[in-house]
Amino acid sequence: MTGSRDNGRSPRGWRASTEERPGARRALIAVSLLFLALFLVLPLLAVFVEALKDGIGPFLDAIAEPDALSAIRLTLLVAAISVPLNVMFGVAASWAITKFDFAGKSLLTTLIDLPFSVSPVVSGLIYVLLFGASGWFGGWLMDRDIQIMFAVPGIVLATVFVTFPFVARELIPLMAEQGRDDEEAAVSLGASGWQTFWYVTLPNIRWGLLYGVLLCNARAMGEFGAVSVVSGHIRGETNTMPLHVEILYNEYNFIAAFAVASLLALLALVTLVAKSLLEWRYGYSNSGAGH
């Protein structure tokens, strides 16, 4: 009798200890929504309001201004170069870390996280130290008339450095969870390494790869600190969109500054929507794969 009463009470006691009361749930949800409204929704809304404060005409004029168009083109160019490079690195590093055992594996995994712990400004200064006029390779580059600092190559290098963990960090846990059985089976059936990757590995990681590409692209287009150090702030030549926004704001050209900033905010919102869709689709694929 005593044992049956204990068994009858333990489920109720377990539920009581793991479920929040309705009031606590409402309070947590309210706090979360308040923070989102204050620190996410309102700032984004303020950017669009300020950009369109004088109407659509000044907004379009600010976007069509030659320096703004140059900044937009450069931002897209840098992203178009750095993201594919990071995809190649991320896939290769993830494949090596999860599919093979080798000396230095843990060191490689740690180094992938290095840009997360290093300030972007420091990242830019590293390239100035290496390729600047007084840097380690500066004299050699100048003798051969190769321009890296204060030019597109330097911006690309800095952007690659600060964004390369994103793809790898999305793929490593996913590929580790999937294990090596599928690849080993394909190899045992005579598939080459490329065939194994293309027909076995890639279909299993495609949603995680797209997710990493989205995050990498968003960071590449919005990077400020590292790019600011290596760009030289040459108006119309080496200014990306974030740098152009800073210059316009410092010149008290607020409408133009918020107009360009609104484009960056719009890109962030598009990335957020695409990220949410991929999370839904990715989660759906995983749940389906488990059955």
Side-chain angles (χ1 to χ4, degrees):
M1 294 292 291
T2 302
S4 62
R5 284 196 300 269
D6 289 341
N7 291 335
R9 283 196 298 268
S10 57
R12 289 195 296 271
W14 177 79
R15 284 195 296 268
S17 64
T18 57
E19 292 184 2
E20 295 289 349
R21 295 180 180 179
R25 289 201 300 269
R26 294 191 195 99
L28 290 173
I29 293 172
V31 170
S32 301
L33 292 177
L34 179 62
F35 268 77
L36 286 174
L38 290 177
F39 299 108
L40 180 63
V41 177
L42 285 180
L44 285 175
L45 183 61
V47 169
F48 288 102
V49 170
E50 289 295 324
L52 297 169
K53 184 171 62 176
D54 291 348
I56 192 68
F59 175 87
L60 294 177
D61 290 341
I63 299 300
E65 195 263 334
D67 288 344
L69 291 177
S70 174
I72 294 170
R73 285 193 296 267
L74 180 58
T75 301
L76 296 177
L77 174 63
V78 171
I81 297 173
S82 59
V83 172
L85 290 176
N86 282 321
V87 168
M88 289 189 290
F89 166 79
V91 172
S94 303
W95 180 288
I97 289 171
T98 59
K99 307 300 180 182
F100 304 106
D101 295 317
F102 55 92
K105 179 176 178 178
S106 59
L107 177 62
L108 175 59
T109 306
T110 302
L111 289 176
I112 289 175
D113 291 332
L114 184 63
F116 287 144
S117 57
V118 175
S119 167
V121 174
V122 175
S123 304
L125 289 174
I126 291 172
Y127 287 104
V128 173
L129 176 64
L130 291 175
F131 304 118
S134 302
W136 293 359
F137 306 108
W140 186 88
L141 293 171
M142 291 177 65
D143 292 341
R144 289 156 181 79
D145 197 25
I146 300 175
Q147 184 77 19
I148 293 182
M149 290 296 95
F150 313 138
V152 174
I155 297 174
V156 171
L157 286 173
T159 304
V160 168
F161 182 88
V162 299
T163 58
F164 82 77
F166 287 93
V167 175
R169 270 299 158 205
E170 288 300 321
L171 293 182
I172 289 173
L174 177 62
M175 295 175 73
E177 181 181 359
Q178 292 172 351
R180 310 177 186 179
D181 294 343
D182 292 343
E183 285 80 8
E184 290 175 352
V187 171
S188 68
L189 293 175
S192 65
W194 174 251
Q195 289 174 326
T196 301
F197 171 76
W198 189 257
Y199 295 106
V200 178
T201 304
L202 186 59
N204 290 333
I205 66 172
R206 63 186 185 279
W207 296 113
L209 178 60
L210 286 174
Y211 187 82
V213 167
L214 276 176
L215 295 178
C216 181
N217 185 66
R219 177 63 187 274
M221 289 191 292
E223 175 55 32
F224 177 84
V227 172
S228 177
V229 174
V230 303
S231 71
H233 292 269
I234 304 173
R235 196 161 187 165
E237 295 184 23
T238 62
N239 275 341
T240 58
M241 291 172 68
L243 300 183
H244 189 59
V245 170
E246 182 197 30
I247 288 177
L248 292 172
Y249 191 84
N250 289 337
E251 293 176 347
Y252 303 101
N253 191 352
F254 298 128
I255 297 299
F258 281 108
V260 179
S262 67
L263 288 183
L264 284 172
L266 184 61
L267 290 171
L269 291 175
V270 170
T271 301
L272 180 64
V273 172
K275 172 177 171 289
S276 299
L277 291 175
L278 279 176
E279 282 180 339
W280 173 81
R281 182 64 180 88
Y282 180 41
Y284 177 80
S285 298
N286 276 350
S287 63
H291 292 297

